[in-house]
Amino acid sequence: MAVAGLSIIAAGLGLTSCGDDEYIAQVTELRLVSVNPENGYPGDIVTILGRNFSTVAGQNTVTVAGQKAEILEAKKDELQIILPDVEPGDYTISVTAPSGTVEGLPFTFLKVPDHQYLVTTIVGQKGAYNITDGVGTAAITKLPTGLNKAPDGSIWFTCRGFNKIRRIAQDLTVTTLVDVELGSSAIWQGCFTPDGKYYYFVDKAKGMLRRIDVSDYSVSTVASGIKSPMNCCCDAEGNVYVSARDNKAIYKFDRNNTKTQYAALDFGPNYCKFAPDGNLIVTLNSGYKFVSVAPDGTVTDFLGTGVKPDEKSDGEPGKPLTVQIKTSFGFDFDSNGVMYISDNSYNCIRKFTPGPGGDYSTGTVETIVGSTSGYADGTGLKVKMNQPYELLVYDDNTIYFTDTVNYLIRKITIK
């Protein structure tokens, strides 16, 4: 009975067995399994995995949106193709082989940018954390969060994981300057005064605004009792502005360190910096937008819908209030007023180009680097990062940003 039962099962499964012969699968139809990568530009090389392709390249046809792809290599379970010239958008890939025709693999054609954005890692090693000084990627950090241009041409950054202030020289030598740990501190971001004499920074956990004298690296506390200070920035006169997230306010500290409230907000501010037009731009926590604060304290919407998005969207060209964004802890401007935004939630860098006459209300947003959480250097939207925070823009077509949860500092070269 047991032998008969096994025979019935074998027959039901469509198996064949002839003595010691190997099992032979009776699957002959064409199948598609995956495409890697799942997005790209016309001319990119991608790989399609499946079953029962012809091993003769010319006997297979791959099309997207009616356009044929060039087949470079054909195997029984794999096709390597060059993507055809197709407009940006979401499509499905169709494959025809002697064994049939199948359509259904989703693929996204990316918009070819006006420039090439090349990303390289300059400090740190993914996932490694320590306080190790050295040159370039030999230097190790943990949760680099703030990034500031120093008067001597170097870059200072906050190492939030160990509560240190560190310096990147122009030759990429990393040096630890100051230990600012006060016990359960969480230093976030900082700024230099215009004369370069002082570096201010915030300790989010301790609720403090603190200051380093650049001449001797001595540290003093300017103010305490601030609820979750996130960052600080300076105006041209040397006044310091602090984003106090849990106070839902921007506080101003004049050159005598006298505190006043500069703006009251409906949501807690995460980051602030002055735009070329003299207005203070503020990113909001759980507000899903940026606002602009005029010198008289008037607050207006600057970018974003203000509604929690289900997915990232750069919005309609010329209508920045249609942009969908969640959280940002950094942005900067080039000398032409173009704004580059570090998108913490969607793991990308976005470019905000003002409209005619430098009018941001008619500007256009475009994602230029990154789209997926992870780690990968490379070009444009194929780059991967993990929660970028602050960034710096230089007019030599270079941008630096903290890839915070990867424990890295990275560089974008615009070509």
Side-chain angles (χ1 to χ4, degrees):
M1 292 297 294
V3 173
L6 288 174
S7 299
I8 293 170
I9 292 172
L13 292 176
L15 307 181
T16 61
S17 178
C18 299
D20 295 330
D21 292 347
E22 291 185 3
Y23 154 73
I24 301 173
Q26 302 300 312
V27 178
T28 59
E29 73 272 17
L30 180 64
R31 293 186 182 180
L32 302 182
V33 176
S34 65
V35 57
N36 184 42
E38 296 178 345
N39 58 56
Y41 305 101
D44 282 356
I45 296 174
V46 302
T47 300
I48 298 171
L49 298 181
R51 288 183 181 180
N52 296 313
F53 304 133
S54 172
T55 57
V56 178
Q59 293 181 355
N60 303 290
T61 302
V62 178
T63 60
V64 185
Q67 301 297 313
K68 285 187 179 181
E70 180 182 348
I71 299 175
L72 295 177
E73 185 175 349
K75 300 178 182 178
K76 187 176 181 180
D77 57 359
E78 179 181 313
L79 297 176
Q80 190 176 78
I81 68 169
I82 299 177
L83 293 174
D85 189 3
V86 174
E87 291 295 315
D90 296 324
Y91 301 93
T92 55
I93 294 175
S94 174
V95 177
T96 297
S99 52
T101 297
V102 178
E103 181 176 8
L105 285 181
F107 189 85
T108 300
F109 274 80
L110 304 173
K111 178 181 180 295
V112 178
D114 295 333
H115 299 279
Q116 185 182 53
Y117 299 91
L118 176 64
V119 176
T120 54
T121 300
I122 63 166
V123 171
Q125 299 168 23
K126 179 189 175 298
Y129 61 89
N130 208 326
I131 291 295
T132 304
D133 290 344
V135 179
T137 56
I140 309 297
T141 184
K142 183 181 181 182
L143 299 176
T145 301
L147 207 59
N148 296 101
K149 300 174 183 177
D152 64 359
S154 66
I155 294 174
W156 285 26
F157 70 95
T158 57
C159 181
R160 174 159 55 98
F162 294 103
N163 292 305
K164 304 288 195 296
I165 306 295
R166 306 177 74 186
R167 176 181 184 268
I168 307 172
Q170 291 177 317
D171 66 356
L172 299 185
T173 298
V174 176
T175 307
T176 301
L177 301 177
V178 187
D179 183 341
V180 293
E181 171 69 58
L182 289 176
S184 301
S185 287
I187 60 169
W188 223 254
Q189 296 173 324
C191 65
F192 283 95
T193 54
D195 59 14
K197 292 182 178 179
Y198 298 104
Y199 175 80
Y200 285 81
F201 65 95
V202 295
D203 186 329
K204 175 178 176 287
K206 293 295 184 181
M208 293 178 175
L209 174 64
R210 307 188 74 198
R211 186 176 79 176
I212 297 175
D213 187 322
V214 176
S215 66
D216 60 6
Y217 300 132
S218 59
V219 184
S220 58
T221 299
V222 174
S224 59
I226 306 170
K227 294 183 179 180
S228 295
M230 305 299 290
N231 92 305
C232 56
C233 68
C234 282
D235 63 18
E237 286 72 45
N239 302 304
V240 180
Y241 300 77
V242 176
S243 296
R245 189 185 69 187
D246 293 351
N247 294 115
K248 296 182 180 179
I250 303 292
Y251 293 126
K252 175 182 177 180
F253 293 83
D254 65 18
R255 284 171 292 183
N256 296 317
N257 292 326
T258 300
K259 174 186 172 186
T260 56
Q261 181 169 288
Y262 186 73
L265 302 165
D266 294 332
F267 299 90
N270 279 331
Y271 189 85
C272 65
K273 183 176 285 186
F274 282 93
D277 62 7
N279 291 335
L280 185 69
I281 308 303
V282 183
T283 74
L284 301 179
N285 187 60
S286 299
Y288 312 115
K289 63 182 178 180
F290 296 8
V291 296
S292 176
V293 183
D296 65 1
T298 301
V299 179
T300 57
D301 289 349
F302 181 76
L303 180 149
T305 63
V307 177
K308 185 177 181 179
D310 294 325
E311 60 183 11
K312 179 182 74 68
S313 170
D314 289 336
E316 299 178 45
K319 296 181 179 181
L321 300 187
T322 64
V323 171
Q324 295 190 25
I325 192 166
K326 284 185 179 178
T327 308
S328 173
F329 296 102
F331 57 79
D332 201 7
F333 300 88
D334 68 14
S335 58
N336 295 316
V338 176
M339 182 181 187
Y340 293 86
I341 300 166
S342 175
D343 189 323
N344 180 267
S345 296
Y346 289 116
N347 297 295
C348 63
I349 307 298
R350 304 165 87 172
K351 178 182 179 181
F352 183 14
T353 304
D359 184 0
Y360 289 102
S361 70
T362 59
T364 296
V365 172
E366 175 189 8
T367 301
I368 58 171
V369 170
S371 60
T372 306
S373 177
Y375 171 69
D377 282 341
T379 304
L381 303 184
K382 296 183 179 181
V383 171
K384 296 181 181 181
M385 60 190 77
N386 194 352
Q387 296 190 35
Y389 273 65
E390 195 157 25
L391 57 73
L392 300 177
V393 177
Y394 288 78
D395 278 332
D396 64 351
N397 292 323
T398 303
I399 301 171
Y400 297 90
F401 68 94
T402 60
D403 187 357
T404 300
V405 181
N406 276 332
Y407 307 152
L408 309 171
I409 295 175
R410 302 170 76 179
K411 174 183 176 181
I412 304 172
T413 302
I414 306 173
K415 296 183 178 181

